[in-house]
Amino acid sequence: MKMMKKEEAQKELDSFLDNIKTVVLSTVSSEGEPFASYSPYVQDEESNFYVFISTAVQHSHNMYNTKKAHLLFIEDESVTSHIYARRRMYFKAKAEKFEENDDRFEKIAQLFEQKHGSDASLIRQMPDSRFYKLSPYDGNIVLGFGAAFKIDESNKKISKLNTMGGKAHGGTHEEGLNKND
């Protein structure tokens, strides 16, 4: 297996989100109950992500109460070269709900319309839904076997290979437990 160089990984990171229109959103309730679903998203010039979701869904309650989310962007399985090595990028994120009549609404609505076309027009017709700003941190990108990289604080640059001495991006469960000792 050939190791991917940092420069190659940076090129992949620079274009990774170009053809991905949805994010897998994972949240947890105040009681610790996990919930996962997906949502269309947009990204602003500062690398923040935005989703538009109903205030009645579990994600909205979870993010409002915990101010947290986990974001997963993953390659379409129909185009992957190996089902166990799907390219993916994930972040932890701070979640902030837009309140009704937020001044930022129009700018983000326009980003949605640019990215998602006429499908995004429903944003203006759903008064019980809100934008959530998801400010990412602690990001990683996995580009194949032995090609897991940490993303820097800007969320735009590869900072380092993240493979625990060549043992994939997480090592074994036991190694993960022991590394905090």
Side-chain angles (χ1 to χ4, degrees):
M1 179 175 5
K2 177 186 157 233
M3 287 298 272
M4 182 178 280
K5 293 181 178 163
K6 190 174 171 181
E7 298 78 27
E8 293 173 281
Q10 185 63 53
K11 285 181 183 176
E12 293 282 333
L13 175 63
D14 292 343
S15 64
F16 185 76
L17 293 176
D18 289 353
N19 296 312
I20 297 177
K21 292 187 175 191
T22 61
V23 60
V24 177
L25 187 61
S26 179
T27 61
V28 65
S29 71
S30 299
E31 296 79 31
E33 287 296 319
F35 183 74
S37 188
Y38 83 97
S39 178
Y41 77 93
V42 295
Q43 186 177 24
D44 69 14
E45 62 281 349
E46 296 170 353
S47 295
N48 295 300
F49 297 99
Y50 297 84
V51 295
F52 186 74
I53 57 176
S54 168
T55 57
V57 300
Q58 191 64 47
H59 280 314
S60 184
H61 300 294
N62 292 351
M63 289 188 294
Y64 183 79
N65 290 323
T66 67
K67 311 290 187 250
K68 297 180 194 177
H70 195 270
L71 312 176
L72 171 64
F73 302 91
I74 190 163
E75 176 180 49
D76 187 315
E77 63 187 36
S78 70
V79 299
T80 191
S81 60
H82 195 290
I83 198 66
Y84 281 103
R86 284 171 71 188
R87 296 175 341 134
R88 57 204 176 271
M89 182 168 60
Y90 51 94
F91 297 95
K92 294 177 185 173
K94 296 175 190 155
E96 174 196 354
K97 179 182 166 193
F98 281 26
E99 295 303 329
E100 191 171 2
N101 301 316
D102 190 292
D103 292 341
R104 300 169 289 178
F105 180 91
E106 189 58 36
K107 177 183 176 185
I108 303 307
Q110 287 177 9
L111 287 175
F112 265 85
E113 289 167 354
Q114 288 167 11
K115 182 171 181 127
H116 301 288
S118 62
D119 289 346
S121 65
L122 66 90
I123 286 172
R124 298 176 194 285
Q125 301 165 17
M126 299 178 71
D128 293 335
S129 294
R130 296 285 180 274
F131 284 119
Y132 270 87
K133 176 183 179 183
L134 303 170
S135 302
Y137 65 96
D138 197 17
N140 292 275
I141 188 165
V142 179
L143 299 168
F145 292 113
F149 296 87
K150 195 83 181 134
I151 301 172
D152 77 357
E153 304 80 39
S154 74
N155 299 312
K156 295 179 181 179
K157 299 283 181 208
I158 296 291
S159 67
K160 66 179 181 177
L161 186 64
N162 194 28
T163 65
M164 290 184 68
K167 296 181 181 177
H169 53 96
T172 66
H173 177 68
E174 290 76 15
E175 286 172 317
L177 292 173
N178 292 331
K179 81 177 184 181
N180 293 325
D181 291 340

PDB file of all heavy atoms in Angstrom, residues 21-37:
ATOM      1  N   LYS A  21     -23.551  17.292  -1.501  1.00  0.00           N
ATOM      2  CA  LYS A  21     -24.613  18.255  -1.225  1.00  0.00           C
ATOM      3  C   LYS A  21     -25.247  18.095   0.151  1.00  0.00           C
ATOM      4  O   LYS A  21     -26.014  18.946   0.574  1.00  0.00           O
ATOM      5  CB  LYS A  21     -25.694  18.154  -2.299  1.00  0.00           C
ATOM      6  CG  LYS A  21     -25.213  18.615  -3.658  1.00  0.00           C
ATOM      7  CD  LYS A  21     -26.358  18.645  -4.629  1.00  0.00           C
ATOM      8  CE  LYS A  21     -25.886  19.232  -5.948  1.00  0.00           C
ATOM      9  NZ  LYS A  21     -26.993  19.513  -6.833  1.00  0.00           N
ATOM     10  N   THR A  22     -24.973  16.974   0.818  1.00  0.00           N
ATOM     11  CA  THR A  22     -25.583  16.758   2.133  1.00  0.00           C
ATOM     12  C   THR A  22     -24.526  16.364   3.162  1.00  0.00           C
ATOM     13  O   THR A  22     -23.463  15.856   2.832  1.00  0.00           O
ATOM     14  CB  THR A  22     -26.666  15.651   2.083  1.00  0.00           C
ATOM     15  OG1 THR A  22     -26.064  14.434   1.672  1.00  0.00           O
ATOM     16  CG2 THR A  22     -27.807  16.026   1.153  1.00  0.00           C
ATOM     17  N   VAL A  23     -24.873  16.599   4.397  1.00  0.00           N
ATOM     18  CA  VAL A  23     -24.019  16.234   5.529  1.00  0.00           C
ATOM     19  C   VAL A  23     -24.798  15.250   6.394  1.00  0.00           C
ATOM     20  O   VAL A  23     -26.012  15.380   6.566  1.00  0.00           O
ATOM     21  CB  VAL A  23     -23.600  17.482   6.339  1.00  0.00           C
ATOM     22  CG1 VAL A  23     -24.797  18.243   6.901  1.00  0.00           C
ATOM     23  CG2 VAL A  23     -22.639  17.122   7.464  1.00  0.00           C
ATOM     24  N   VAL A  24     -24.095  14.242   6.916  1.00  0.00           N
ATOM     25  CA  VAL A  24     -24.683  13.371   7.932  1.00  0.00           C
ATOM     26  C   VAL A  24     -24.467  14.098   9.245  1.00  0.00           C
ATOM     27  O   VAL A  24     -23.342  14.420   9.622  1.00  0.00           O
ATOM     28  CB  VAL A  24     -24.032  11.975   7.952  1.00  0.00           C
ATOM     29  CG1 VAL A  24     -24.619  11.135   9.076  1.00  0.00           C
ATOM     30  CG2 VAL A  24     -24.208  11.286   6.602  1.00  0.00           C
ATOM     31  N   LEU A  25     -25.554  14.381   9.910  1.00  0.00           N
ATOM     32  CA  LEU A  25     -25.554  15.174  11.121  1.00  0.00           C
ATOM     33  C   LEU A  25     -25.852  14.261  12.301  1.00  0.00           C
ATOM     34  O   LEU A  25     -26.846  13.544  12.303  1.00  0.00           O
ATOM     35  CB  LEU A  25     -26.637  16.249  10.981  1.00  0.00           C
ATOM     36  CG  LEU A  25     -26.779  17.322  12.007  1.00  0.00           C
ATOM     37  CD1 LEU A  25     -25.511  18.164  12.085  1.00  0.00           C
ATOM     38  CD2 LEU A  25     -27.966  18.221  11.634  1.00  0.00           C
ATOM     39  N   SER A  26     -24.974  14.279  13.276  1.00  0.00           N
ATOM     40  CA  SER A  26     -25.150  13.461  14.462  1.00  0.00           C
ATOM     41  C   SER A  26     -25.199  14.384  15.670  1.00  0.00           C
ATOM     42  O   SER A  26     -24.351  15.264  15.829  1.00  0.00           O
ATOM     43  CB  SER A  26     -23.984  12.478  14.595  1.00  0.00           C
ATOM     44  OG  SER A  26     -24.130  11.700  15.750  1.00  0.00           O
ATOM     45  N   THR A  27     -26.217  14.175  16.492  1.00  0.00           N
ATOM     46  CA  THR A  27     -26.382  14.974  17.703  1.00  0.00           C
ATOM     47  C   THR A  27     -26.722  14.045  18.861  1.00  0.00           C
ATOM     48  O   THR A  27     -27.001  12.860  18.668  1.00  0.00           O
ATOM     49  CB  THR A  27     -27.499  16.028  17.545  1.00  0.00           C
ATOM     50  OG1 THR A  27     -28.741  15.368  17.297  1.00  0.00           O
ATOM     51  CG2 THR A  27     -27.182  17.004  16.412  1.00  0.00           C
ATOM     52  N   VAL A  28     -26.722  14.614  20.035  1.00  0.00           N
ATOM     53  CA  VAL A  28     -27.073  13.840  21.219  1.00  0.00           C
ATOM     54  C   VAL A  28     -27.971  14.710  22.098  1.00  0.00           C
ATOM     55  O   VAL A  28     -27.792  15.926  22.188  1.00  0.00           O
ATOM     56  CB  VAL A  28     -25.797  13.357  21.983  1.00  0.00           C
ATOM     57  CG1 VAL A  28     -25.008  14.503  22.550  1.00  0.00           C
ATOM     58  CG2 VAL A  28     -26.139  12.339  23.036  1.00  0.00           C
ATOM     59  N   SER A  29     -28.949  14.068  22.733  1.00  0.00           N
ATOM     60  CA  SER A  29     -29.866  14.808  23.604  1.00  0.00           C
ATOM     61  C   SER A  29     -29.185  15.128  24.930  1.00  0.00           C
ATOM     62  O   SER A  29     -28.110  14.600  25.237  1.00  0.00           O
ATOM     63  CB  SER A  29     -31.128  13.981  23.868  1.00  0.00           C
ATOM     64  OG  SER A  29     -30.823  12.885  24.722  1.00  0.00           O
ATOM     65  N   SER A  30     -29.815  15.953  25.720  1.00  0.00           N
ATOM     66  CA  SER A  30     -29.295  16.276  27.053  1.00  0.00           C
ATOM     67  C   SER A  30     -29.196  15.022  27.926  1.00  0.00           C
ATOM     68  O   SER A  30     -28.392  14.960  28.842  1.00  0.00           O
ATOM     69  CB  SER A  30     -30.196  17.301  27.743  1.00  0.00           C
ATOM     70  OG  SER A  30     -30.231  18.493  27.008  1.00  0.00           O
ATOM     71  N   GLU A  31     -30.001  14.010  27.590  1.00  0.00           N
ATOM     72  CA  GLU A  31     -29.984  12.742  28.340  1.00  0.00           C
ATOM     73  C   GLU A  31     -28.983  11.741  27.768  1.00  0.00           C
ATOM     74  O   GLU A  31     -28.879  10.615  28.241  1.00  0.00           O
ATOM     75  CB  GLU A  31     -31.381  12.114  28.350  1.00  0.00           C
ATOM     76  CG  GLU A  31     -32.431  12.926  29.079  1.00  0.00           C
ATOM     77  CD  GLU A  31     -32.968  14.088  28.232  1.00  0.00           C
ATOM     78  OE1 GLU A  31     -33.018  13.964  26.997  1.00  0.00           O
ATOM     79  OE2 GLU A  31     -33.321  15.124  28.821  1.00  0.00           O
ATOM     80  N   GLY A  32     -28.289  12.122  26.715  1.00  0.00           N
ATOM     81  CA  GLY A  32     -27.276  11.244  26.135  1.00  0.00           C
ATOM     82  C   GLY A  32     -27.771  10.326  25.040  1.00  0.00           C
ATOM     83  O   GLY A  32     -27.038   9.440  24.598  1.00  0.00           O
ATOM     84  N   GLU A  33     -28.997  10.516  24.549  1.00  0.00           N
ATOM     85  CA  GLU A  33     -29.534   9.678  23.477  1.00  0.00           C
ATOM     86  C   GLU A  33     -29.038  10.199  22.127  1.00  0.00           C
ATOM     87  O   GLU A  33     -29.280  11.348  21.776  1.00  0.00           O
ATOM     88  CB  GLU A  33     -31.060   9.687  23.490  1.00  0.00           C
ATOM     89  CG  GLU A  33     -31.657   8.898  24.625  1.00  0.00           C
ATOM     90  CD  GLU A  33     -31.337   7.421  24.546  1.00  0.00           C
ATOM     91  OE1 GLU A  33     -31.366   6.834  23.443  1.00  0.00           O
ATOM     92  OE2 GLU A  33     -31.041   6.840  25.607  1.00  0.00           O
ATOM     93  N   PRO A  34     -28.354   9.363  21.350  1.00  0.00           N
ATOM     94  CA  PRO A  34     -27.846   9.807  20.051  1.00  0.00           C
ATOM     95  C   PRO A  34     -28.940   9.855  18.997  1.00  0.00           C
ATOM     96  O   PRO A  34     -29.943   9.143  19.091  1.00  0.00           O
ATOM     97  CB  PRO A  34     -26.799   8.748  19.707  1.00  0.00           C
ATOM     98  CG  PRO A  34     -27.256   7.525  20.433  1.00  0.00           C
ATOM     99  CD  PRO A  34     -27.943   8.004  21.678  1.00  0.00           C
ATOM    100  N   PHE A  35     -28.732  10.691  17.997  1.00  0.00           N
ATOM    101  CA  PHE A  35     -29.644  10.792  16.868  1.00  0.00           C
ATOM    102  C   PHE A  35     -28.820  11.156  15.635  1.00  0.00           C
ATOM    103  O   PHE A  35     -27.961  12.035  15.700  1.00  0.00           O
ATOM    104  CB  PHE A  35     -30.705  11.867  17.127  1.00  0.00           C
ATOM    105  CG  PHE A  35     -31.736  11.976  16.030  1.00  0.00           C
ATOM    106  CD1 PHE A  35     -32.717  11.009  15.881  1.00  0.00           C
ATOM    107  CD2 PHE A  35     -31.717  13.045  15.153  1.00  0.00           C
ATOM    108  CE1 PHE A  35     -33.664  11.100  14.867  1.00  0.00           C
ATOM    109  CE2 PHE A  35     -32.660  13.144  14.134  1.00  0.00           C
ATOM    110  CZ  PHE A  35     -33.637  12.182  13.992  1.00  0.00           C
ATOM    111  N   ALA A  36     -29.063  10.504  14.522  1.00  0.00           N
ATOM    112  CA  ALA A  36     -28.341  10.801  13.282  1.00  0.00           C
ATOM    113  C   ALA A  36     -29.338  10.892  12.135  1.00  0.00           C
ATOM    114  O   ALA A  36     -30.321  10.153  12.087  1.00  0.00           O
ATOM    115  CB  ALA A  36     -27.301   9.728  12.985  1.00  0.00           C
ATOM    116  N   SER A  37     -29.064  11.809  11.234  1.00  0.00           N
ATOM    117  CA  SER A  37     -29.856  11.980  10.037  1.00  0.00           C
ATOM    118  C   SER A  37     -28.986  12.736   9.036  1.00  0.00           C
ATOM    119  O   SER A  37     -27.779  12.807   9.216  1.00  0.00           O
ATOM    120  CB  SER A  37     -31.135  12.754  10.355  1.00  0.00           C
ATOM    121  OG  SER A  37     -32.009  12.768   9.236  1.00  0.00           O
TER     122      SER A  37
END
